[in-house]
Amino acid sequence: MELNLRGKRALVTGSSAGLGEAIATMLAAEGATVIVHGRHEARTNRVADTIRKAGGVAIVALGDLTTDAAADEVAHVALADGPVDILVNNAGFYRHLSWDEATPDEWASTYNANVISGVRMIRRLVPQMRERDWGRAVTIGGGLALQPMDTHPQYNATLAARHNLAVSLARELKGTRVTSNVVSPGAMLVEATKDLVTDIGPARGWGETWEDIEPNAVNSLIPNDRGRFGKPEEIAAAVAYLCSDYAEYVSGATIRVDGGLIKGAF
């Protein structure tokens, strides 16, 4: 399937590792010029170099999007060689805290990193998409937006805000060929997740090898229809679809890629 991304320019925030890296890599493989963004120079350059070695085109933009000044710099680098057609707001973070541990300051800093950082990039890039009458804004959300846990409440709430702002943006873009949508991952098997589960698995009776640990961990922590963790490239594939011409009629939608973890029909 030809996604028609050749000649497009895509900024993927938080793409120096994990889901962002998988998204940047797939968009580059589909022919887009990708601006790889991160806060750590070595990690961000590694992803860009990997894309280039595979025959893709990658540009590095460094900066902490929790500040206006850094957002200005990232946007400047992204726009230096041409307009940005695709914005993937992936950057974010959380700390695993209880309600007692999540102070108001923690709530505020998490909201800044996970919500306002995305708004900063939308404000800097989406108006130009509207002027050209073509563009894609994709927000990476999460199942905890719909089905929050009792832990890390400050993070759960920011995911709900990310979903909400993406739909609001879609309504704002009515009548244009610029779309805004959400990809909502379930529990994804990034390196940190595998390390954590492998570390705690034996003590919890899940087994000694990954083949035994994974299904037991899934059943205990994140029961879903597929019986496994998701793969980063499965999120990347959903993003690539939303960026393509095939998704021209998809507006304000949430595509759940979670193996059936979220049980609701809507």
Side-chain angles (χ1 to χ4, degrees):
M1 183 179 289
E2 175 55 61
L3 299 184
N4 195 29
L5 298 184
R6 298 190 184 281
K8 305 296 186 186
R9 291 169 52 82
L11 169 61
V12 183
T13 68
S15 49
S16 62
L19 298 184
E21 177 180 358
I23 293 166
T25 299
M26 186 168 290
L27 293 181
E30 290 295 331
T33 294
V34 176
I35 298 98
V36 181
H37 162 260
R39 293 178 300 164
H40 304 288
E41 185 173 3
R43 288 167 52 184
T44 310
N45 280 326
R46 177 192 61 79
V47 175
D49 288 342
T50 299
I51 289 172
R52 294 174 190 132
K53 288 175 182 176
V57 181
I59 297 162
V60 168
L62 299 173
D64 183 346
L65 300 180
T66 60
T67 70
D68 287 336
D72 284 339
E73 180 59 27
V74 170
H76 175 75
V77 172
L79 294 166
D81 295 322
V84 171
D85 304 287
I86 296 164
L87 169 63
V88 181
N89 270 327
N90 168 71
F93 94 108
Y94 76 98
R95 295 199 299 152
H96 196 91
L97 302 173
S98 68
W99 267 92
D100 287 341
E101 294 167 330
T103 64
D105 284 345
E106 184 76 25
W107 278 75
S109 63
T110 304
Y111 192 85
N112 184 29
N114 291 357
V115 181
I116 300 177
S117 65
V119 173
R120 287 186 176 99
M121 302 319 297
I122 287 168
R123 290 175 61 86
R124 285 159 174 78
L125 300 178
V126 171
Q128 297 168 44
M129 297 179 191
R130 188 202 294 268
E131 289 174 5
R132 300 191 309 278
D133 198 33
W134 198 96
R136 300 286 187 263
V138 181
T139 298
I140 305 302
L144 294 174
L146 306 174
Q147 207 163 275
M149 298 173 64
D150 59 345
T151 57
H152 46 62
Q154 79 290 355
Y155 176 60
N156 302 337
T158 61
L159 287 178
R162 285 168 78 116
H163 283 231
N164 192 285
L165 75 85
V167 177
S168 176
L169 180 60
R171 302 293 87 86
E172 163 67 14
L173 295 168
K174 177 182 178 181
T176 76
R177 295 181 64 227
V178 185
T179 64
S180 171
N181 293 288
V182 178
V183 172
S184 179
M188 308 309 296
L189 191 60
V190 296
E191 185 176 346
T193 301
K194 187 171 184 179
D195 288 346
L196 173 64
V197 172
T198 301
D199 184 53
I200 67 176
R204 298 195 177 193
W206 294 343
E208 299 293 333
T209 67
W210 179 250
E211 288 71 22
D212 292 329
I213 290 172
E214 181 178 20
N216 289 317
V218 168
N219 289 334
S220 296
L221 301 174
I222 48 152
N224 64 70
D225 298 343
R226 309 318 310 153
R228 63 173 174 84
F229 289 92
K231 301 173 184 177
E233 55 267 30
E234 292 172 317
I235 300 302
V239 172
Y241 160 70
L242 287 175
C243 294
S244 74
D245 289 342
Y246 293 100
E248 183 76 28
Y249 197 57
V250 182
S251 174
T254 296
I255 296 182
R256 298 207 304 258
V257 186
D258 63 7
L261 176 64
I262 301 301
K263 306 305 181 188
F266 303 104

